[in-house]
Structure formats: structure tokens, C-alpha cells
Amino acid sequence: SISQQSLKNEILTLRKKSSEIKKMESLWINNSMIITAKKSYIQSLANRDDLERLDLDTELRLFDPIPSSSEKIMDTEESTYGLQKIQAMRVWNELGLNGEGVLVGVLDSGVDSNHESLSGRVLKTKDFITSYEDNEPNDGHGHGTHCSGTIGGSNAGGKHIGVAPGANFIVGKIFSDTGSTTVASIMNGMQWVTDPDGDPETNDFPRVISNSWGGPLRDRYREIINTWRSIGIIPVFAAGNSGPRSGTIGAPGGYKEVISIGEIGRAHV
């Protein structure tokens, strides 16, 4: 971005003279920069008139799962309760829509592409939090594989588990196997999934992006999400597990620009 050039030049010059700045990354998706530097230099940036705001990088963790009830959930031999509740199979059978031809982006803890319900449909992966090479899909945590299965898992295990079993996936690993990440890693993943091959002339971005994570209600992701929407990507985020009281949805799940997903009560037999 042209607006970043003055600061970039300053940083490049300073790095040649001292070790005050360790790392600099430029993001086009929201016209931001990620800078790793000594505290004194970060504080000096507050005096610049070409910066809108400064945010310190922070750690986030995946939403803790809600313990399942010991009661028997109303699944059937054919499908999970969730698919029955939203009548997914009626859409498949009556409208002929099951996600075929749709590319879904998932930003999470990775994916186990060898899982029987996802095999052959994970087209591309990239790691932003650990050290796996590109297209070495992995998920030592399990959260990303679980979410991918809910989105589009097949019935290979004998029961329908995914809403769109015909969809393909592109997956960014933005959470470690212990369930932690940083805002910088998230933003890098959000930029990559918008243009996976780095060529804006190709139409390789996903139709919808699943994000089962969130944090305090802040605006730091809004510009990225608006970029997604401007090119036709549907942003889907978790509402979180802090309900049902009012004011318990954080960000980005609480943004008006996204589709926010929560859980409803489940019937038991």
C-alpha cells in the first residue's frame, strides 16, 4: 500500500542500523502492518500522523467445548440431530443442493484430511501458527476437523454428519494444537484464504469462510470482513459459548456484517 511506504522506508533504514526492530509484515487486506520491535520503538509510533491506531498483539484461545449431556441425544441411525433440526436432507433431496461445486474456507486448528468423512476434499492447507509446510494438513487439537465435519462431512462412517457433504475445503491453521493463537496469526490467515494463490486475477477464493473462534468485542477484524464481503465471500463466525444472557457474543461474531452461529437447545429421549 502506498500509504504504508513512509513507515516501511523508516523501518528498513532503522533495521540496518540497530536491532530495535525484529520483524515487519505488511497486510493488504486491511492496510495494516505487523511489527515486532522493542517497546521504545512501538511507543514512538504513537506520534505518527499516518497511523490510524496501534493495537498490541494478543493471544486468543479456542472456545471451550460445552460438555455433552449423559442423556441420549436424539440422533438417528441415518443422521445427527443437527441435520434433522435444520432439515438438511430435505434440501439435498428436494432441491438437489448438497454443496457440490462450492469451496469452503476454514480458519481453525487445521484439519485431518485423512478422516474418512473428509478424505479427498481438502484441496489446500497452510500453517500460520506452527511449522508445518504448506499442504501438510494436520490437526493435533481436533477442533478444526470437528468443524469441517459439521460443515461438510460425508456419511462414510455410516451416519450423515455434515450439512454440505459435496463441498471442498481450503484450510488455514491459525490455532496451535493446544488451542492458542495470536491476532497476527489470525490476520495472516484471513488474508491468505482471501487469495490462496497470491494472484488477484484468479477466482480461487472460497464462497464461504467458517471461523469458530472469537474474543472481546473490538473492531480489529471488521475491515478484513468487509473486504471478504466486497468480493462475494460470506463470513460465518461462532457466537461463542457464553450465552444465553444478553451481551455475551464477542467479536467478530457480534458484527452486523457476519452470519453468527450459535447452538439451540437439544431434545433428549
Side-chain angles (χ1 to χ4, degrees):
S1 172
I2 296 175
S3 62
Q4 297 179 13
Q5 198 58 53
S6 175
L7 180 54
K8 282 183 180 179
N9 291 340
E10 175 186 293
I11 290 174
L12 291 173
T13 300
L14 188 59
R15 289 187 71 179
K16 294 177 182 179
K17 300 178 180 179
S18 73
S19 60
E20 195 169 9
I21 301 171
K22 295 182 179 180
K23 188 177 180 181
M24 174 189 70
E25 298 175 272
S26 176
L27 299 183
W28 53 262
I29 195 166
N30 61 349
N31 192 22
S32 69
M33 297 177 69
I34 299 171
I35 302 170
T36 304
K38 292 183 177 179
K39 182 178 179 180
S40 58
Y41 181 74
I42 297 298
Q43 290 175 327
S44 74
L45 294 176
N47 299 319
R48 297 185 64 97
D49 57 11
D50 57 352
L51 290 181
E52 181 178 339
R53 71 173 187 264
L54 287 173
D55 286 327
L56 291 179
D57 198 6
T58 53
E59 182 178 285
L60 278 79
R61 296 196 62 82
L62 285 168
F63 291 128
D64 292 329
I66 300 299
S68 60
S69 169
S70 60
E71 300 176 76
K72 182 180 178 182
I73 298 173
M74 197 176 68
D75 288 351
T76 68
E77 292 183 2
E78 183 181 13
S79 71
T80 61
Y81 168 74
L83 295 187
Q84 297 171 55
K85 191 66 178 179
I86 65 172
Q87 302 185 61
M89 286 172 287
R90 284 193 62 192
V91 177
W92 306 341
N93 298 328
E94 297 178 20
L95 301 181
L97 301 174
N98 72 346
E100 186 174 351
V102 176
L103 181 64
V104 176
V106 177
L107 294 175
D108 211 290
S109 62
V111 66
D112 177 4
S113 63
N114 293 319
H115 191 287
E116 59 184 357
S117 293
L118 299 170
S119 180
R121 293 189 291 125
V122 178
L123 306 186
K124 186 177 292 188
T125 66
K126 191 172 180 67
D127 186 349
F128 296 93
I129 191 67
T130 49
S131 57
Y132 287 95
E133 296 293 331
D134 292 356
N135 299 313
E136 284 190 8
N138 64 91
D139 185 8
H141 186 282
H143 190 272
T145 303
H146 165 76
C147 292
S148 299
T150 301
I151 295 164
S154 69
N155 65 338
K159 177 182 291 190
H160 291 289
I161 64 171
V163 176
N168 288 325
F169 294 89
I170 176 172
V171 180
K173 183 180 177 75
I174 61 171
F175 283 87
S176 71
D177 290 344
T178 60
S180 65
T181 190
T182 63
V183 172
S185 298
I186 289 175
M187 288 188 174
N188 271 304
M190 294 176 87
Q191 175 169 281
W192 168 78
V193 78
T194 311
D195 184 19
D197 68 354
D199 183 354
E201 298 299 321
T202 57
N203 183 11
D204 65 331
F205 57 84
R207 182 73 178 88
V208 58
I209 301 175
S210 169
N211 307 266
S212 190
W213 50 267
L217 192 56
R218 301 181 67 179
D219 282 344
R220 61 190 355 165
Y221 306 104
R222 197 181 299 273
E223 291 179 6
I224 296 177
I225 289 166
N226 284 334
T227 299
W228 285 356
R229 287 169 56 94
S230 71
I231 62 176
I233 295 173
I234 300 171
V236 180
F237 283 83
N241 298 330
S242 300
R245 301 175 308 278
S246 62
T248 55
I249 299 179
Y255 294 173
K256 65 180 181 179
E257 295 88 352
V258 311
I259 294 175
S260 187
I261 304 297
E263 183 185 17
I264 62 171
R266 294 182 290 189
H268 298 273
V269 294

